[in-house]
Amino acid sequence: MFVSSRLNLARWFTLSMGSILVVFASVLYTREARDRLHVFDQALYSTGQVVASGAEEIVYGDIRQIDLENAPLLGSDSLRLDTDILWARWYTPNKQLLQFMGDIPPHTLDQDLGFQTLMVSEAEQLDRLRQLTVPVYREGRLLGYLQLAASLDPVEHPLQELRLFLVLGVPITLIVIAGAGWILGGMAMQPIRLSYQRLQQFTADASHELRTPLAAIVSNAQVALMEPVSLEEQTACLKIISEVSESMGDLVERLLFLARYQGDVPSQVFQTLDICHLLASIGADYASQASGLGVQFEADLPSAPCHLQAEPDLLRQAVVNLLDNAFRYTSAGGTIRLSCRGQGSWLSIQVHDSGIGIAAEDLPHIFERFYRVNKVRSRHSGGYGLGLAIVRQIIDLHHGYVTVSSIPMKGTQFEIRLPLNQAMAS
């Protein structure tokens, strides 16, 4: 699916960029051809002006004649022009040929006035010419028609080079665009691929976690529906069903929490919070629990209040999850410490335990959903591998971050760092 989507992205990217490239190349070539032809026509017209300036009108009695002896290209007494003119022709006002230079022309002018592009055959190959036919006036009287022609080679050769460049350059550029589209498509699809893989993994893990308690509920329900051997056995089955149902409810609640708080939390839910008071309240709850488990619990908290912007229930949930995790893996005789201190513009909350620790290869994955360092132990102790994922999500929502360091069989330390508003600290 992702390969197909990536291919479609690359195809549409290549098509769009290729279309822009082809349009740009077409506009570039058209503009270059038009500009070069315009310059060529201007030069041809200027040559025609020079030739026409040498024409003189001679009057013998009542007869007017045109003298072209001093006209460049046409007259024998004129200066030679350094030009590529192939022919020059002069026609009378009646469009009859009077004088010419170059190929023998028709005796009667039958071409339209202005510029024309002609195709002529020379040495068994076609050559493109540009012909100009203009009327020549002197003091309001028509003296005749001047016709000039020159080869379009000065225009064609640069345009042939440009066409060759575009014919080779455009396909090569399209190949480069296609490659870039494939690479960019892969980069664009990478977050989607990762999200899809996480969704698949999340769905598979959630299905796996729900399958086990559902099987326990079904099996115990079937036993309870059978003819009971004793009332105690039936009660035990119902108790198991109740415990498993509560466990499933806890799992569903955690899954809903992860789904509910995707993205950013609206800023209006944050409030000014005394973090020291919150942590002291949490520590008091766990102090009695620690004595019952034979674990030493310490709370190292500042005496002065420290305020920050946070959502109290979410932040409490994050700290509680870390403490639950610490108590779960710390045996009797161990120590758990909750501490808090300010570090510049950041607030540090640490939960340290002397429990079994975490192996180095597990540390990069410890905050992933459903990830367990010891799957058998975690499931038996009631964990689903979601508590630390929830901690990270809560801290991310508060624009902070959480880290972990651990030494196997010596202990683990989790640290939450939250941005502290110095203007509100006291």
Side-chain angles (χ1 to χ4, degrees), residues 198-220:
R198 290 170 182 168
L199 178 61
Q200 283 185 317
Q201 185 64 39
F202 181 80
T203 304
D205 290 339
S207 300
H208 175 75
E209 295 296 336
L210 290 172
R211 187 181 299 114
T212 301
L214 282 174
I217 291 175
V218 171
S219 61
N220 283 277

Side-chain angles (χ1 to χ4, degrees), residues 3 15 27 39 57 62 88 100 114 168 182 186 188 229 284 292 298 302 312 365 384 392 414 421:
V3 174
L15 181 61
V27 172
V39 172
E57 186 180 33
D62 294 334
F100 69 94
L168 296 178
W182 178 259
V229 177
E298 300 174 357
H365 309 284
Y384 294 101
R392 184 177 64 176
F414 287 90
N421 188 345

Side-chain angles (χ1 to χ4, degrees), residues 81-102:
L81 290 179
D82 184 13
T83 179
D84 295 327
I85 299 297
L86 297 179
W87 68 65
R89 300 163 181 173
W90 188 279
Y91 290 88
T92 65
N94 296 327
K95 297 186 177 181
Q96 299 300 312
L97 180 64
L98 178 63
Q99 200 162 325
F100 69 94
M101 181 275 293

Side-chain angles (χ1 to χ4, degrees), residues 151-348:
S151 174
L152 279 173
D153 286 345
V155 176
E156 288 293 329
H157 289 164
L159 291 181
Q160 287 177 357
E161 295 178 357
L162 179 59
R163 284 197 297 269
L164 179 62
F165 173 78
L166 294 177
V167 167
L168 296 178
V170 169
I172 293 175
T173 306
L174 286 176
I175 294 175
V176 174
I177 290 175
W182 178 259
I183 295 174
L184 293 176
M187 295 173 62
M189 292 294 295
Q190 187 64 19
I192 302 176
R193 180 193 296 271
L194 293 176
S195 298
Y196 182 73
Q197 290 175 348
R198 290 170 182 168
L199 178 61
Q200 283 185 317
Q201 185 64 39
F202 181 80
T203 304
D205 290 339
S207 300
H208 175 75
E209 295 296 336
L210 290 172
R211 187 181 299 114
T212 301
L214 282 174
I217 291 175
V218 171
S219 61
N220 283 277
Q222 290 174 345
V223 172
L225 290 173
M226 296 172 61
E227 186 69 26
V229 177
S230 64
L231 183 61
E232 290 77 10
E233 183 179 2
Q234 188 178 42
T235 302
C237 291
L238 293 176
K239 183 178 180 181
I240 292 175
I241 292 175
S242 176
E243 292 175 351
V244 173
S245 299
E246 290 179 1
S247 176
M248 287 183 61
D250 180 63
L251 173 60
V252 171
E253 183 177 350
R254 289 172 180 262
L255 292 175
L256 289 176
F257 178 92
L258 291 170
R260 184 184 305 116
Y261 290 101
Q262 293 287 347
D264 292 332
V265 175
S267 58
Q268 56 266 26
V269 306
F270 288 89
Q271 57 183 274
T272 303
L273 173 67
D274 180 5
I275 188 62
C276 296
H277 182 269
L278 176 66
L279 295 178
S281 172
I282 297 174
D285 294 337
Y286 279 90
S288 58
Q289 178 181 343
S291 61
L293 296 174
V295 175
Q296 182 180 355
F297 179 75
E298 300 174 357
D300 181 13
L301 305 175
S303 57
C306 184
H307 298 88
L308 52 75
Q309 292 292 317
E311 206 290 322
D313 293 335
L314 292 181
L315 199 54
R316 172 183 285 272
Q317 181 68 46
V319 177
V320 166
N321 283 4
L322 292 182
L323 287 173
D324 284 344
N325 197 70
F327 273 92
R328 183 175 296 120
Y329 298 113
T330 302
S331 57
T335 302
I336 298 175
R337 184 173 66 253
L338 172 64
S339 61
C340 173
R341 66 179 183 274
Q343 295 179 345
S345 60
W346 293 87
L347 178 74
S348 173

Side-chain angles (χ1 to χ4, degrees), residues 65-86:
Q65 294 182 345
I66 302 300
D67 183 10
L68 300 175
E69 291 302 315
N70 294 322
L73 301 178
L74 293 173
S76 58
D77 294 337
S78 65
L79 296 176
R80 303 298 297 175
L81 290 179
D82 184 13
T83 179
D84 295 327
I85 299 297
L86 297 179

